[in-house]
Amino acid sequence: MEQLTIPQGYRSPLTIRETEVAIKEIKDHFERSLAKSLHLTRVSAPLFVRPESGLNDNLNGVERPVSFGIREQEDAPAEIVHSLAKWKRYALKHYDFHSGEGLYTDMSAIRRDEDTDNIHSLYVDQWDWEKIISKEERNTETLEYTVRKVYGALKETEDFISRRYNYIEPLLPDDIFFITAQELEEMFPGKTPKEREHRIAKAKGAVFISQIGKTLASGEKHDGRAPDYDDWELNGDIIVYYPVLDIALELSSMGIRVDEDALKRQLKLAGCEERAELSFQKALLAGELPYTVGGGIGQSRICMYYLRKAHIGEVQSSIWPEDMLSLALENGIQML
């Protein structure tokens, strides 16, 4: 089946119970490392928000949020979050954070329109983090400095887990390679974005592809981004090469967030200027929210990567097609 890749001769060195222990070790270690590196405080976060708040992430604009009515509030609608990209910026102000300080939280989401495969699930779990910066720090230097801080936590955690489990050989290079989506298009003309990602990730080991969401010289986008959180000039993805599946694996999407001018420009480019009337967007345009940098880091993705698993279902519990489950079990892939 097209949605499932079976690595030749694959067998996980860990049992399910051993895998569960390793998952906890990875998450605890990485969380501490990230918080220390970026000076972040852990906070609680919502599982659902009101649609009219404008706080939900509309991703590429076509994914449908899971919604439900609240009985005690006359069935007023609520939506399961897609991510906390906007909520975090609001929380930094509401919780009285200051410049140079930040927060992180555990985010759980349901993406009902996801096409499931070895690395995509209906269930999304990630660390969402956000940090206040000054307007003057809204530049490429700040972005690259922050990317290196996040990458340093990823590298340090891989070193830790490779010492705990002797079958894991470190893969991450000492430094991460930076390239814009436009430069990548020019480097590999005629290739699809995914093919370009695979080639650069395999060549460099770890790469940050920046300026995602804007239209490239070809007239296409490298990938979609909602217009009202990342500044498309100052964002990107951390992608690593994953030899178990021979793929480019995205571990984190992050960036400097829109200011007033970038929000207006991107809403117009995206053809959704009406979103400027939502509560979050109105507050941002009125200058009531701090300037920030932030991102999300996939919890199951990094556990899958560090433990050299073939399927994300080996490190998280979700719902999969029955034929995928059967084929996985036949080939030594033990789904949780």
Side-chain angles (χ1 to χ4, degrees), residues 54 56-63 85-86 89 138 212-214 221 223-233 235 256-276 278 280-281 284-285:
N56 207 355
D57 177 4
N58 69 340
L59 301 177
N60 292 309
V62 296
E63 293 88 349
K86 303 182 185 76
R89 196 166 176 181
R138 298 188 70 260
I212 294 177
K214 61 189 291 186
K221 295 180 179 181
D223 200 359
R225 285 294 186 275
D228 45 9
Y229 64 95
D230 278 352
D231 187 324
W232 294 342
E233 298 291 335
N235 72 344
I256 291 174
R257 309 310 195 186
V258 291
D259 61 5
E260 299 88 337
D261 293 336
L263 177 59
K264 291 176 185 177
R265 180 178 68 253
Q266 292 180 182
L267 287 177
K268 185 175 182 179
L269 288 171
C272 55
E273 292 173 275
E274 74 281 354
R275 292 190 65 83
L278 295 171
F280 171 84
Q281 288 78 356
L284 198 158
L285 289 170

Side-chain angles (χ1 to χ4, degrees), residues 11-282:
R11 285 294 184 275
S12 174
L14 302 180
T15 66
I16 288 180
R17 186 168 180 177
E18 289 169 338
T19 295
E20 293 282 20
V21 172
I23 289 170
K24 183 70 164 58
E25 291 177 327
I26 289 169
K27 289 185 176 182
D28 286 350
H29 190 90
F30 179 78
E31 185 173 314
R32 288 193 298 267
S33 181
L34 181 72
K36 181 179 179 181
S37 181
L38 290 175
H39 308 292
L40 306 177
T41 300
R42 191 192 182 282
V43 301
S44 300
L47 175 61
F48 42 85
V49 295
R50 294 191 181 280
E52 66 272 16
S53 69
L55 288 172
N56 207 355
D57 177 4
N58 69 340
L59 301 177
N60 292 309
V62 296
E63 293 88 349
R64 300 169 298 161
V66 175
S67 60
F68 60 94
I70 303 172
R71 186 180 64 178
E72 72 167 8
Q73 298 178 25
E74 299 179 350
D75 281 331
E79 293 178 350
I80 303 294
V81 296
H82 273 148
S83 86
L84 297 170
K86 303 182 185 76
W87 176 86
K88 293 176 295 181
R89 196 166 176 181
Y90 167 80
L92 284 169
K93 178 186 177 182
H94 185 63
Y95 297 168
D96 199 29
F97 280 74
H98 302 285
S99 184
E101 299 175 338
L103 58 81
Y104 77 96
T105 189
D106 290 283
M107 190 280 295
S108 296
I110 302 170
R111 295 185 181 171
R112 62 192 287 191
D113 292 325
E114 193 73 76
D115 294 322
T116 60
D117 56 25
N118 291 65
I119 63 173
H120 294 95
S121 171
L122 302 179
Y123 171 63
V124 179
D125 56 341
Q126 66 182 35
W127 290 284
D128 256 313
W129 65 272
E130 200 84 7
K131 186 174 182 178
I132 297 178
I133 59 175
S134 67
K135 188 173 180 64
E136 292 71 31
E137 291 176 300
R138 298 188 70 260
N139 54 49
T140 303
E141 290 74 20
T142 298
L143 177 63
E144 292 189 358
Y145 171 82
T146 309
V147 169
R148 285 193 169 97
K149 286 290 187 180
V150 175
Y151 183 73
L154 289 167
K155 173 71 174 166
E156 198 272 336
T157 303
E158 184 186 48
D159 292 341
F160 163 78
I161 205 67
S162 68
R163 293 192 300 269
R164 293 282 292 114
Y165 297 90
N166 58 17
Y167 77 93
I168 300 172
E169 292 291 334
L171 297 174
L172 295 175
D174 291 337
D175 199 8
I176 187 168
F177 181 75
F178 290 86
I179 191 168
T180 69
Q182 183 58 59
E183 290 169 339
L184 191 60
E185 182 180 69
E186 293 166 2
M187 184 179 292
F188 301 113
K191 301 298 181 182
T192 68
K194 291 303 178 186
E195 289 170 339
R196 296 196 289 267
E197 287 182 0
H198 181 263
R199 291 201 174 195
I200 196 67
K202 193 167 186 177
K204 301 297 182 180
V207 60
F208 184 75
I209 303 174
S210 63
Q211 299 184 357
I212 294 177
K214 61 189 291 186
T215 301
L216 304 176
S218 63
E220 303 293 328
K221 295 180 179 181
H222 182 83
D223 200 359
R225 285 294 186 275
D228 45 9
Y229 64 95
D230 278 352
D231 187 324
W232 294 342
E233 298 291 335
L234 296 167
N235 72 344
D237 292 338
I238 294 177
I239 295 173
V240 299
Y241 177 65
Y242 190 43
V244 174
L245 296 173
D246 186 28
I247 60 170
L249 182 66
E250 178 192 323
L251 298 183
S252 175
S253 176
M254 59 178 288
I256 291 174
R257 309 310 195 186
V258 291
D259 61 5
E260 299 88 337
D261 293 336
L263 177 59
K264 291 176 185 177
R265 180 178 68 253
Q266 292 180 182
L267 287 177
K268 185 175 182 179
L269 288 171
C272 55
E273 292 173 275
E274 74 281 354
R275 292 190 65 83
E277 297 304 312
L278 295 171
S279 299
F280 171 84
Q281 288 78 356
K282 286 175 72 173

Side-chain angles (χ1 to χ4, degrees), residues 305-321:
Y305 176 81
Y306 291 140
L307 298 178
R308 314 300 188 232
K309 297 289 190 176
H311 197 287
I312 199 168
E314 294 179 273
V315 294
Q316 65 155 242
S317 296
S318 185
I319 295 175
W320 311 96

